[in-house]
Amino acid sequence: MLFPALPMLFVGMSTTVALQAAGDTRTPLAIAAVTNVVNVIANQVLIFGHLGAPRLGATGAALSNALALTLEAGLGVLAVTRPWSPVSLRGGGAAEGARRVLAVAWSSFAERAVYHAGYLAFVRMVNGLGPTAMAAHQAMLSVESVSFL
């Protein structure tokens, strides 16, 4: 369920690293804060079936994480399309903007790709333990994410 959202993770991480490298650390922090709050709320609603939503367990955790990754990517793209952004996709066209972002963020992108390939292997092992273990794992990852803030 989470695999289709992984490109959003790469977009979000690339925009975050590009903004940080350009000296803007507040925008990525704000994006992370909003994303984590949405993830925690969505986990509560989708895993445990609050607010009238069906109780989805591990599927709800995956959907919540996919939602958070997509939100992070969307907010990151919005951040780099602002006229005053230190790293902007505006001006030289999308191809030029993408080239400029990748010039700064390609090494971080590659590091994240390797990291998440390992993470996928780990999730495969946790998933092999059953849906209860997977749901508990995803819930604890959300708690861990909040603790980083």
Side-chain angles (χ1 to χ4, degrees), residues 91-144:
E96 173 61 19
R99 186 196 62 73
R100 289 174 47 210
V101 169
L102 289 175
V104 174
W106 75 267
S107 60
S108 177
F109 175 85
E111 184 266 336
R112 287 277 117 187
V114 170
Y115 171 86
H116 286 287
Y119 180 72
L120 284 174
F122 172 72
V123 168
R124 173 97 166 84
M125 288 184 257
V126 173
N127 195 40
L129 298 173
T132 303
M134 187 64 179
H137 177 260
Q138 291 298 325
M140 290 298 101
L141 284 178
S142 295
V143 170
E144 179 186 32

Side-chain angles (χ1 to χ4, degrees), residues 2-16 65-77 109:
L2 192 56
F3 188 73
L6 289 181
M8 296 296 107
L9 174 69
F10 295 139
V11 170
M13 292 302 296
S14 295
T15 57
T16 294
N65 285 336
L67 171 68
L69 292 174
T70 303
L71 176 64
E72 180 182 18
L75 292 174
V77 168
F109 175 85

Side-chain angles (χ1 to χ4, degrees), residues 23-75:
D24 181 1
T25 57
R26 290 182 181 194
T27 302
L29 177 63
I31 290 171
V34 168
T35 301
N36 279 313
V37 168
V38 168
N39 194 20
V40 168
I41 292 169
N43 272 330
Q44 285 292 316
V45 171
L46 296 174
I47 293 172
F48 303 111
H50 295 302
L51 302 175
R55 184 181 197 127
L56 298 176
T59 301
L63 289 173
S64 175
N65 285 336
L67 171 68
L69 292 174
T70 303
L71 176 64
E72 180 182 18
L75 292 174

Side-chain angles (χ1 to χ4, degrees), residues 81-93:
T81 57
R82 300 174 301 180
W84 62 88
S85 176
V87 177
S88 180
L89 292 178
R90 299 170 60 103

